[in-house]
Amino acid sequence: MSQKILRCLSFLILAPLFLSSQPAANPRTFCNPLNLNYRFMVDAIDAREAADPVIVLFKDDYYLFASRSGGYWTSPDLRNWTLIIPQGLDLETYAPAVVAMRDSLFYIPSANSQVYKTGDPKSGIWQKGATVASYGDPDLFLDDDGRLYMYYGLSNASPTSVVELDPFTFQEKSNRVIIVRAQAAIHGWERRGDDNLLDEVPWIEGSWAVKHDGKYYLTYAGPGTEFKTYADGVYVSDSPLGPYTYADYSPYAFKPTGFICGAGHGSTFKDKNGQYWHIGTMTISIQHMFERRLGLWPVDFDAGQIRCNTVLGDYPHYLPGEKENMIEESYAGMLLLSHKKRVLASSSVDGHGIELAVDEDARTYWSAVSGDAGEWLLVDMGQECSVEAVQVNFAEHHTDPLLVRGRDKLLYQQYIIETSVDGMAFDVLVDKSDNLQDVPHDYIELAQAKAARFVKITNKYTPGDGFFALRALRVFGNSSQATFTPVANFTVERSAADGRDAAISWPPVEGADGYIVHYGIAPD
């Protein structure tokens, strides 16, 4: 661990406020986790999943594939996603590889020998193509010269490898070359656990190849999808078949703290504007180890190094195309106003109390004692604030599996959000009483800021006969008061017993809302 830059957030004087507001007609921001209609798991109760994502650009539209999602999504702009339920495609296998080649998309599930093909993914109709060897966590990489490569590996014992494939028959054309082996003994981030402190053999998986300025970047995931430290490391080569060299700045996509954690096993792709993005796996892993969500962050290359900016990576960030320099300017500047504030509710289930709706942890949640219309939760922010956005993160509690499992089920949430300055008179801020879309992580950017001290959400309808439950009601705003102050006397003490360990410390900053630690291999 090298010299760090550390900053803090703090509150200043409140800015001028507006009396009324409404959701923005054309929002400029989004908030992780992505608000997709995640599928309810077939082998767990009260759990949804999507993981191991791949985004490809094909015929001017984006296509998002994720493990066992019962379909895939398409979008013209990386903003609004539409689910497609296909025919003739294996959707029950994890970690699909997808590549756009010639006039078609080709799809290979993990450890499945069947190649699927379509020239019209919007139609949802796929055909079976060639058969291939079985590859765990496959990644199909098409080079500029038309040559096709398969990167693969999914194990806590076997390595990640690469082999060249014939682009028409998908048969192997070269010998297999080993690239990545687990090296947790020297790569501290590969150690398992939410704090990278378990000396157990890690799972190395989820490879993805990117070519930039003539160099090949092979990213790979570890130490395990269920951990907050799930991240992507990097190996670099001048050739798709290697030899590859470990990048000392690994992991490059890393988000171990915040409301929802994890950034590993994803794909890095270029959008229509030439901006790189990383879409990765975020972990909940409470009801089931594979209870997961998806997150999106900007990526850039700096002096031959690939970097992914996950700083405040589950706060509001600008949507693709909104900023010219996304890697540096993606954060929208809003502060989290609801964290650990006073909460009231219509009712609570034992073990799922009201404080869990504002504890900034997606692994916990508040639940009312029913899913009846009229159940409510209220957050008192303690002072009048400038509210600019709200994220409603629904939880699944006592949901009837027969009513929600399968893509043929109609799922949606209905609610209203009201605000008040004095706790007496309330104005409607968001009205989704007629909503018919599944919005498990609903994010609403306001057209203009709203003056409020109290924010109240009231249930109108909860799907699957479940209880009205929230992982978090997150209120954002006061962006004009966000300041970043360097911390003085920041120290790093390496462990003499284990070179992978270091203790970092600094004097606390009065009024700080949080601290951001940057890490890397450069002293500055």
Side-chain angles (χ1 to χ4, degrees), residues 21-86:
S21 188
Q22 61 183 358
N26 297 297
R28 301 184 64 203
T29 62
F30 75 103
C31 189
N32 288 317
L34 296 180
N35 186 32
L36 300 169
N37 48 341
Y38 298 95
R39 185 191 190 192
F40 276 82
M41 298 182 70
V42 298
D43 50 0
I45 303 297
D46 286 339
R48 298 180 184 233
E49 74 170 319
D52 321 319
V54 175
I55 288 183
V56 294
L57 181 59
F58 181 70
K59 294 183 178 179
D60 211 37
D61 283 301
Y62 300 96
Y63 291 89
L64 165 59
F65 299 82
S67 290
R68 301 186 77 183
S69 290
Y72 52 87
W73 295 269
T74 186
S75 172
D77 53 13
L78 295 174
R79 296 171 177 238
N80 301 299
W81 294 93
T82 300
L83 179 70
I84 296 173
I85 303 173

Side-chain angles (χ1 to χ4, degrees), residues 464-496:
D465 286 344
F467 291 8
F468 183 51
L470 300 175
R471 297 185 187 278
L473 176 59
R474 305 175 78 208
V475 183
F476 296 98
N478 286 3
S479 59
S480 62
Q481 291 94 59
T483 60
F484 295 82
T485 305
V487 170
N489 301 319
F490 179 66
T491 63
V492 179
E493 295 184 8
R494 286 194 175 276
S495 168

Side-chain angles (χ1 to χ4, degrees), residues 351-371:
H352 297 284
I354 54 178
E355 72 282 358
L356 301 181
V358 292
D359 68 346
E360 196 64 358
D361 187 351
R363 293 180 168 182
T364 65
Y365 62 89
W366 161 78
S367 177
V369 298
S370 77

